[in-house]
Amino acid sequence: MWLLFLSAAAGLSAALDLPQGYAPVPVSCPTSLDWIRPADGLNPAEAEWVQGRKKNVLAALEGYLDRLGLTDFDVEEYLSRINDNDRANVPILGMAISGGGFGSAFTGTGALRAIDDRLDAATEQRTGGILQSMTYLSGLSGGSWPAVSFPAHNFPTADEILDYWKPDIDRIYTVENDTANTATVTTLFEQIATKYIEGFDIGVADYLGRLFAYEFIPGNSGGLNTTFSDIRKLSKFVNHEMPMPIIHLSMIGEGDPEYDDLWVPRANSSIFDVTPFEFGSWDGSVRAFTPMEWLGNRLSNGQPVNDSVCYQGFDRDSLIIGTSADAFNFWYLESISNDTLGQFAKRSSSPPSTLSKRLTAPSDIDNLAIAFNSSFGLNLTEISYSVFPNPFANLSLSSGIAHDSETLNMVDGSETGQTIPFWGQIQPARSVDFILAWDDSQDASPYDWNNGTNLYNTYVAANNTGIPFPIIPPVNTLMNLNYTTHPVFFGCDANLTTTGDDRAPLVLYMANAPYSAYTNFSFWQSATTREQMGEIYVNSFDIVTQANGTWDEEWAECIGCAVVERSLARVGMNRTSQCERCFGRYCWNGQLDETQPGEMNPNLILDPSVGFDEWNATNPF
């Protein structure tokens, strides 16, 4: 495949009629626009939308809680109380899907499917309805693909979206001709060339985004002109029938560690929120936001540098998912350093075993850099980051490179070590009560299961900055207490939070694990058959429902206890004895077990007699 980049460069130079639609569009500058909003409370438009969402959440909660049939819990009284005071006490729920490429994208979608009341099996298991009760859905890297794709497609079911995605098509390695579902390397380069000709920086994020868009983004030519801000116009968003997406990016630049002319972000680098309403950061070097539809305009002290022409359309969905998954700097450093530089918290730190299902990045990844250089005259450093015109320059709310630079360099949010996108949801302004965290960041070496490193990293970051979040035990304890193979709640005891009170959300942590299938497949698995997708969906369903309740017939009720927990005190109700039992079984109580755990290499949890070798002989991924 990588040799195709070289022919793409030659083909591009001969192209006369470039496709339109990817480049930002020049328009007249608005005369009455607040270009900058301080990171103080919610965006008024988001706050209004959240208030509208509460009516739908209330209706969904009624059906969900009625199906649960919680013991000694007066559902009617609870609903009446949270409906008081303009629904001020309706719980705010969210889901966060980790990075992890196609693995996380597909297993996370399977988890989302298991909480959707449009799936009869989920309703029967009484987990259906949690999705309809959620206000936020956040994603990062591979997790950003469903987090953008579902809203962009007007929120279909997980089974319906496979007909849009067509995951069985190999869009990376075998494309020879353009179709409605694929594009050649030459065509992808021609598409991003239109942005370059318009005067904008381009790089690997643009290429990756256009490549992934043919699978995940609706619209002609792989959603060539589909924008993230346009989600606000879709019927299910307008009618508050879907959760609001939040995508995480990380900023990188001068002052960060540098290896072979490439920067690597620090653990405390600024994390940026991308929502249909705005782009910006809550803390760090930027404490401000700019309207999403006007992203792509360079500002100084909150005003356009060039007020005679402004741009719209920079926020293409493909750029958002491409940037969120752009870890080219890490991939390149890995390839030239024998995997000693550019290490993710989610990456293996030792050579993969012969039984590992992960594939490493292509060893000749530098040919992509050669193709960019041949086509556009851009060097390795120029293409490694997603470059955004800086809207935060010369603000009192910004500092460092965000204050001084004309551009911002953005990369895969995983590079900061927080691969589960909690950060936007745990900001106090959003007042989130409960987060279902799906982890498929593959941080357990060498078999690429999960050991909780990224969950723990968010706790450390939250604790260092005073953000309310549950205390998370170290990785050894997470593994020794089997929290990476069976679900666990954190924050049930408000004392076990960074602030020692109930301002922190209660977190349900679910890690991808082999229940009925070995789903630790590669980031770079470029095609997945419908049969394999069926196995992935069933495995995720087994995790969420705990094998249709066979592990614990009260498990569904225990999730319900966590869903309502934070809102109980606000409406003057007490935790029931049933929920006390549930939390006694499933909540971390502060216990530590820091003995050195064994290698993370579980057999099938629902059939331990079947090891990977035996299963893989007839189920190759």
Side-chain angles (χ1 to χ4, degrees):
M1 177 196 71
W2 301 100
L3 293 177
L4 293 176
F5 288 121
L6 303 181
S7 62
L12 179 61
S13 63
L16 297 177
D17 298 318
L18 296 178
Q20 301 303 306
Y22 184 65
V25 178
V27 297
S28 298
C29 294
T31 56
S32 58
L33 176 70
D34 292 329
W35 287 93
I36 296 295
R37 182 185 74 84
D40 181 17
L42 280 188
N43 180 312
E46 179 181 338
E48 181 181 359
W49 184 88
V50 169
Q51 183 62 28
R53 175 68 176 156
K54 286 183 177 181
K55 180 179 179 181
N56 289 35
V57 167
L58 188 66
L61 273 174
E62 181 175 6
Y64 169 63
L65 294 173
D66 281 342
R67 288 190 295 272
L68 279 181
L70 294 169
T71 304
D72 299 326
F73 184 77
D74 191 333
V75 173
E76 184 176 349
E77 178 65 18
Y78 171 73
L79 294 173
S80 175
R81 293 191 187 191
I82 64 172
N83 196 32
D84 286 343
N85 301 317
D86 199 24
R87 305 188 185 97
N89 294 314
V90 171
I92 306 294
L93 315 179
M95 180 177 183
I97 304 177
S98 80
F102 287 100
S104 185
F106 292 159
T107 64
T109 297
L112 185 150
R113 175 178 178 268
I115 58 175
D116 187 344
D117 68 11
R118 296 172 293 180
L119 180 70
D120 289 342
T123 301
E124 291 170 5
Q125 293 304 316
R126 296 167 299 144
T127 53
I130 299 174
L131 177 61
Q132 282 67 31
S133 303
M134 287 180 169
T135 299
Y136 294 108
L137 173 65
S138 58
L140 177 155
S141 194
S144 77
W145 303 342
V148 173
S149 188
F150 272 88
H153 281 94
N154 208 21
F155 227 79
T157 67
D159 291 322
E160 291 168 344
I161 210 165
L162 291 187
D163 291 328
Y164 298 123
W165 288 354
K166 298 178 176 61
D168 49 307
I169 296 175
D170 184 346
R171 295 169 173 88
I172 298 180
Y173 296 107
T174 62
V175 177
E176 296 180 356
N177 300 290
D178 294 332
T179 69
N181 301 298
T182 61
T184 64
V185 173
T186 298
T187 295
L188 297 176
F189 265 69
E190 290 174 352
Q191 290 172 353
I192 66 177
T194 64
K195 180 179 175 182
Y196 182 73
I197 291 170
E198 192 62 41
F200 289 86
D201 294 287
I202 60 171
V204 172
D206 295 277
Y207 175 80
L208 291 176
R210 295 303 311 133
L211 175 66
F212 297 141
Y214 277 84
E215 184 160 0
F216 297 110
I217 304 303
N220 295 331
S221 301
L224 191 63
N225 63 355
T226 305
T227 65
F228 199 54
S229 55
D230 276 347
I231 288 172
R232 303 197 315 251
K233 302 175 184 177
L234 298 178
S235 62
K236 288 186 179 178
F237 193 87
V238 170
N239 296 324
H240 310 99
E241 296 174 10
M242 66 166 86
M244 189 190 92
I246 304 172
I247 307 304
H248 282 184
L249 310 176
S250 294
M251 188 173 72
I252 198 170
E254 291 288 348
D256 285 323
E258 188 173 346
Y259 305 94
D260 203 59
D261 297 324
L262 292 178
W263 290 308
V264 173
R266 301 177 188 274
N268 62 351
S269 293
S270 295
I271 295 175
F272 280 70
D273 266 18
V274 184
T275 79
F277 294 107
E278 59 188 359
F279 166 87
S281 181
W282 294 94
D283 51 25
S285 58
V286 173
R287 299 181 303 283
F289 294 88
T290 194
M292 192 64 194
E293 66 269 31
W294 293 102
L295 185 64
N297 291 283
R298 188 162 69 87
L299 309 181
S300 177
N301 196 26
Q303 294 299 317
V305 172
N306 179 4
D307 61 6
S308 62
V309 60
C310 289
Y311 285 89
Q312 288 189 301
F314 184 88
D315 64 319
R316 304 296 183 200
D317 277 351
S318 56
L319 178 67
I320 302 305
I321 64 173
T323 302
S324 191
D326 178 17
F328 182 80
N329 55 329
F330 272 27
W331 299 332
Y332 184 83
L333 289 173
E334 285 180 335
S335 71
I336 66 169
S337 67
N338 195 28
D339 293 341
T340 60
L341 295 175
Q343 286 292 299
F344 289 98
K346 71 182 183 183
R347 294 283 178 155
S348 301
S349 59
S350 60
S353 159
T354 56
L355 293 183
S356 176
K357 303 182 76 173
R358 172 180 285 282
L359 300 173
T360 59
S363 59
D364 54 351
I365 198 170
D366 56 339
N367 280 336
L368 178 55
I370 294 172
F372 267 97
N373 184 261
S374 299
S375 299
F376 305 107
L378 300 175
N379 62 37
L380 177 70
T381 303
E382 290 171 319
I383 68 167
S384 291
Y385 322 113
S386 190
V387 182
F388 289 24
N390 184 9
F392 306 116
N394 301 312
L395 289 177
S396 62
L397 299 167
S398 63
S399 60
I401 55 175
H403 185 273
D404 300 330
S405 177
E406 296 182 356
T407 58
L408 299 177
N409 296 314
M410 313 304 294
V411 293
D412 185 330
S414 301
E415 295 190 12
T416 66
Q418 293 189 61
T419 306
I420 307 173
F422 283 114
W423 205 249
Q425 293 197 46
I426 64 176
Q427 297 303 312
R430 290 201 166 108
S431 303
V432 176
D433 296 299
F434 169 88
I435 302 173
L436 192 164
W438 181 262
D439 188 6
D440 197 3
S441 51
Q442 302 149 12
D443 48 19
S445 172
Y447 298 104
D448 303 308
W449 295 110
N450 304 283
N451 60 26
T453 294
N454 290 279
L455 174 67
Y456 180 73
N457 285 350
T458 295
Y459 153 65
V460 172
N463 193 48
N464 288 341
T465 55
I467 296 290
F469 193 73
I471 295 172
I472 306 298
V475 169
N476 286 0
T477 291
L478 292 171
M479 294 180 67
N480 288 329
L481 298 183
N482 296 319
Y483 291 160
T484 60
T485 53
H486 291 281
V488 57
F489 298 116
F490 294 101
C492 308
D493 182 348
N495 293 314
L496 293 175
T497 66
T498 58
T499 52
D501 53 43
D502 62 3
R503 287 179 291 167
L506 195 152
V507 170
L508 169 54
Y509 175 69
M510 291 184 172
N512 182 46
Y515 274 58
S516 53
Y518 287 91
T519 52
N520 56 332
F521 61 97
S522 168
F523 182 109
W524 292 102
Q525 179 168 304
S526 56
T528 304
T529 67
R530 291 300 181 98
E531 180 183 2
Q532 290 170 336
M533 287 301 306
E535 291 179 321
I536 292 167
Y537 274 9
V538 169
N539 191 72
S540 292
F541 192 89
D542 284 333
I543 295 171
V544 172
T545 65
Q546 286 296 275
N548 297 324
T550 57
W551 280 90
D552 182 348
E553 62 183 13
E554 203 175 31
W555 167 241
E557 288 91 332
C558 292
I559 300 179
C561 290
V563 164
V564 303
E565 169 67 15
R566 285 291 187 259
S567 62
L568 291 180
R570 297 200 298 267
V571 298
M573 296 180 70
N574 296 319
R575 187 187 297 172
T576 66
S577 58
Q578 180 185 36
C579 290
E580 289 283 5
R581 292 197 308 273
C582 281
F583 288 178
R585 293 200 299 278
Y586 292 107
C587 294
W588 180 62
N589 61 5
Q591 173 188 355
L592 296 175
D593 182 352
E594 284 299 286
T595 58
Q596 187 64 36
E599 191 172 66
M600 189 71 183
N601 185 27
N603 281 6
L604 290 183
I605 292 170
L606 299 184
D607 189 357
S609 65
V610 180
F612 174 78
D613 255 349
E614 178 183 354
W615 183 87
N616 197 49
T618 55
N619 296 270
F621 269 68

